[in-house]
Amino acid sequence: MRILVKGAGVAGLTVAWQLYRHGFDVTIHERAEKVGQGASGFAGGMLAPWCERESAEEPVLTLGRLAADWWEAALPGHVHRRGTLVVASGRDAGELERFATRTTGWEWLDEQAITALEPDLTGRFRKALFFRQEAHLDPGKALSALTAGLEEARMRFLFGPGSHATRYDRIVDCTGAAKIGRLANLRGVRGEMLRLETSDVTLSRPVRLLHPRHPIYIVPRERNRFMVGATMIESDDAGPITARSLMELLNAAYGLHPAFGEARLVDTGAGIRPAYPDNLPRVTEDGETLHVNGLYRHGFLLAPAMAGEVARRLLAEHASPERMAS
Amino acid sequence: MLKLYDIAVQSRLLLGTARYPSPSILAEAVRRSKTEIVTVSLRRETSGGKSGGAFFELIRDLGVRVLPNTAGCHSVKEAVLTAKMARDVFRTDWIKLEVIGHHDTLQPDVFGLVEAARILTDEGFQVFPYTTDDLVVAERLLEAGCRVLMPWCAPIGSAMGPVNPTALRSFRAHFPDVPLIVDAGIGRPSHAADVMERGYDAVLLNTAVAGAGDPAAMAEAFALAIAAGRLAHKAVPLEPRDMAVPSTPVIGKAVFS
């Protein structure tokens, strides 16, 4: 069976990897010049289904809890299993209680325990929630590694616009936000982020700072860098970050640790997350094409489950006699 | 029946549309609350000047009347501009007017509010002003042409419920014929029932529903509480007393027990 995967973001590459593991003949076509140019490029890379459950429905947890294992198996050494720390400023302490009632898989930490995990946060928070089972990865590095692995396995990559004459048995469309307006009920949710660089603060794991209006997360990266995200705006505008969002994100980072005030602002970004009305991803069929879309803010978390679903469907077809005969 | 600018409504619950876990859950909350009016923030969802596109379409598809709001506006000019944009997007003269005076507490700037209300009324808008429980400000808003008032019962999103019952009582007493909607500060259905028992005409909610563990169920709980509060108000509740009063006569009662 010859398969064309359209789109080389986290969804497309994950699907390609899964199909390659099952022995399918896969070609990947990406309209841009390289991988990860859509929403995936702005991802936090948090594998945090327990935290996400605070505002997401149950499938995010049931489908997402195996994501860390999937990434670890695909890319050994890329997954950091250090949990997630959730904190709130003294005035918003009630938000922590609220977060705890909406989630599972946490434990309460006191000041000493916070210090043991993140020494640089000593004395800044009286208590915190710790989600021990959660993990994170660097999205850029993960996508590059996945691409390298696929190239090594002699998967074909086609870049740039234009169609290709080759016939494929099936197309798996993973082009995300490009399908807004073409797939029913798919909408864009704008997200803005920024990257800071400072050697004055060290964090070992993603930290979420709760706030009634602007909850944010900070994910530590290599080379003293930190990704700060992310806004959630009901808009499919992909223009640069707004002054207000920049202010809110920086303000929150500063609130987490004043040393972020002296950090360098490396860059900012804004991307469009494709989402269905329930904010859950799905695999849909349209003739010869399977669509994987609606990953919303859960690309790295839920792409493995979607890839598994695509593989199951194609394997079932492959095995069914009528399909073999046709 | 409640009339808001000559539009008769059955449901006395107005629902905000911000911060739900997903549009599907918002739609379910609207359905179960049986609300006929939802408010939508223009400002937050129109990044980069593009319309909130799909989200606004979703709101229109809910099949209920839309009361656009100017949430997040900090000046008269900004609020007036946002109101005009809202008129274009939702084809309605209704506007829930918010002019925020304090970034942190989201307390209304009552001076700017009165000024913006005057400008918008002159331009044919039907203004629903989000205000404090200050009587003088309320009078100025009526003079500016408002025919509905929306006092808070506690700061936005605080979920504290009525923090100043005395002010709410005198507000109701001063404006017996103006539709009064409690906007902001409600946390639980019992708070909503409380203000309805005090004779308020309706309640506007957002966070209390959107932030609940099960927003759709909470929306229904609020609808029931608001209906109960309204019914209780019409039934004329007892006033509290300082001392116990037996519900049956004491004199002549047999003393065997």
Side-chain angles (χ1 to χ4, degrees):
Chain A
M1 222 180 186
R2 297 175 62 114
I3 313 282
L4 176 67
V5 173
K6 287 186 175 176
V10 65
L13 293 174
T14 315
V15 165
W17 183 268
Q18 191 78 25
L19 293 181
Y20 151 67
R21 303 288 294 177
H22 287 292
F24 287 94
D25 176 3
V26 182
T27 302
I28 302 157
H29 176 222
E30 167 57 53
R31 245 182 2 177
E33 297 303 321
K34 46 185 181 173
V35 306
Q37 296 301 290
S40 306
F42 304 111
M46 289 181 297
L47 306 173
W50 285 272
C51 278
E52 287 298 308
R53 184 70 179 89
E54 183 251 340
S55 61
E57 295 191 55
E58 186 65 24
V60 169
L61 180 53
T62 47
L63 298 176
R65 61 195 307 164
L66 297 173
D69 291 342
W70 191 96
W71 286 105
E72 181 60 34
L75 306 173
H78 277 256
V79 177
H80 309 291
R81 294 178 189 264
R82 301 195 194 121
T84 304
L85 196 64
V86 182
V87 296
S89 70
R91 204 186 60 168
D92 299 326
E95 293 293 312
L96 265 184
E97 306 281 348
R98 183 183 165 277
F99 200 89
T101 63
R102 302 275 191 282
T103 51
T104 57
W106 45 259
E107 54 205 273
W108 282 109
L109 301 187
D110 60 12
E111 273 187 81
Q112 264 186 326
I114 295 170
T115 297
L117 284 179
E118 298 290 356
D120 280 2
L121 296 183
T122 298
R124 301 201 53 75
F125 301 97
R126 301 290 90 72
K127 55 183 188 168
L129 288 168
F130 183 46
F131 292 76
R132 190 179 288 278
Q133 303 163 83
E134 298 190 333
H136 70 285
L137 49 71
D138 182 322
K141 282 180 63 187
L143 292 189
S144 299
L146 214 47
T147 306
L150 287 166
E151 279 172 339
E152 212 168 286
R154 297 178 186 283
M155 296 286 112
R156 281 174 305 279
F157 276 87
L158 307 170
F159 287 99
S163 58
H164 305 278
T166 320
R167 272 296 299 160
Y168 296 95
D169 297 304
R170 290 293 244 162
I171 295 169
V172 186
D173 189 309
C174 303
T175 55
K179 283 284 169 295
I180 292 170
R182 297 184 197 167
L183 280 178
N185 296 321
L186 193 69
R187 75 187 199 287
V189 180
R190 176 178 161 91
E192 299 153 306
M193 50 76 82
L194 55 89
R195 275 182 277 254
L196 296 175
E197 185 180 320
T198 176
S199 54
D200 294 342
V201 190
T202 305
L203 297 175
S204 305
R205 55 184 56 71
V207 178
R208 292 181 182 230
L209 181 63
L210 302 183
H211 183 280
R213 294 198 293 280
H214 323 296
I216 64 134
Y217 54 80
I218 296 190
V219 191
R221 298 265 193 260
E222 285 177 347
R223 293 179 293 137
N224 301 326
R225 293 201 169 174
F226 298 85
M227 185 267 195
V228 185
T231 56
M232 305 278 292
I233 299 168
E234 290 285 348
S235 166
D236 54 11
D237 172 61
I241 190 169
T242 62
R244 171 189 289 259
S245 297
L246 186 61
M247 224 153 50
E248 285 169 1
L249 292 174
L250 287 174
N251 207 19
Y254 184 72
L256 182 68
H257 199 297
F260 281 117
E262 303 304 320
R264 305 284 174 181
L265 179 55
V266 178
D267 61 358
T268 65
I272 303 302
R273 313 174 182 94
Y276 287 112
D278 56 6
N279 291 345
L280 293 173
R282 60 200 61 166
V283 178
T284 54
E285 297 203 34
D286 174 19
E288 291 298 295
T289 303
L290 280 176
H291 289 277
V292 178
N293 217 316
L295 280 154
Y296 184 51
R297 53 183 268 159
H298 301 130
F300 283 80
L301 181 62
L302 298 183
M306 292 300 105
E309 171 68 17
V310 167
R312 261 191 304 283
R313 290 197 195 195
L314 294 180
L315 284 169
E317 277 179 22
H318 206 51
S320 83
E322 51 203 296
R323 185 87 202 173
M324 294 291 271
S326 71
Chain B
M1 191 182 296
L2 177 59
K3 275 193 158 187
L4 303 171
Y5 288 103
D6 300 327
I7 301 291
V9 291
Q10 300 276 350
S11 164
R12 289 169 182 269
L13 167 56
L14 290 77
L15 203 57
T17 56
R19 291 196 299 276
Y20 287 78
S22 72
S24 299
I25 290 176
L26 161 62
E28 183 64 8
V30 168
R31 194 184 65 75
R32 283 180 68 177
S33 72
K34 296 194 172 70
T35 182
E36 293 163 47
I37 301 169
V38 295
T39 74
V40 184
S41 161
L42 260 279
R43 204 155 174 355
R44 193 58 185 151
E45 318 294 3
T46 49
S47 163
K50 269 197 174 183
S51 75
F55 185 69
F56 289 166
E57 239 161 72
L58 258 147
I59 298 289
R60 283 189 284 253
D61 288 348
L62 293 173
V64 293
R65 191 174 290 275
V66 174
L67 171 59
N69 69 55
T70 64
C73 290
H74 288 253
S75 71
V76 173
K77 190 179 160 198
E78 208 181 356
V80 169
L81 266 174
T82 304
K84 288 178 179 171
M85 202 159 75
R87 175 140 77 177
D88 290 343
V89 173
F90 290 107
R91 300 177 194 293
T92 175
D93 290 331
W94 279 16
I95 188 75
K96 180 190 160 190
L97 183 61
E98 290 186 29
V99 182
I100 300 304
H102 196 259
H103 180 77
D104 202 36
T105 61
L106 301 184
Q107 175 149 351
D109 169 356
V110 293
F111 305 98
L113 183 69
V114 171
E115 190 184 336
R118 194 174 294 127
I119 293 168
L120 290 171
T121 307
D122 286 348
E123 298 207 16
F125 281 93
Q126 299 181 320
V127 177
F128 295 64
Y130 159 61
T131 183
T132 64
D133 50 26
D134 188 287
L135 297 176
V136 182
V137 171
E139 275 168 12
R140 293 281 188 275
L141 287 167
L142 295 176
E143 282 166 22
C146 298
R147 289 195 280 147
V148 174
L149 294 171
M150 305 215 291
W152 67 3
C153 75
I156 289 187
S158 69
M160 285 193 284
V163 288
N164 190 348
T166 314
L168 283 181
R169 192 167 61 217
S170 81
F171 202 94
R172 178 71 277 182
H174 268 78
F175 306 106
D177 303 320
V178 180
L180 300 182
I181 303 170
V182 170
D183 178 7
I186 299 270
R188 292 161 184 257
S190 51
H191 299 153
D194 181 304
V195 298
M196 292 303 291
E197 285 168 11
R198 293 172 194 276
Y200 278 78
D201 294 287
V203 168
L204 193 153
L205 297 163
N206 191 343
T207 316
V209 171
D214 182 343
M218 190 57 86
E220 186 178 341
F222 268 107
L224 294 170
I226 287 166
R230 175 69 190 166
L231 190 59
H233 171 69
K234 285 198 295 190
V236 188
L238 283 180
E239 286 308 315
R241 295 174 53 102
D242 288 340
M243 275 174 284
V245 177
S247 57
T248 47
V250 180
I251 296 170
K253 190 178 175 188
V255 283
F256 296 131
S257 61

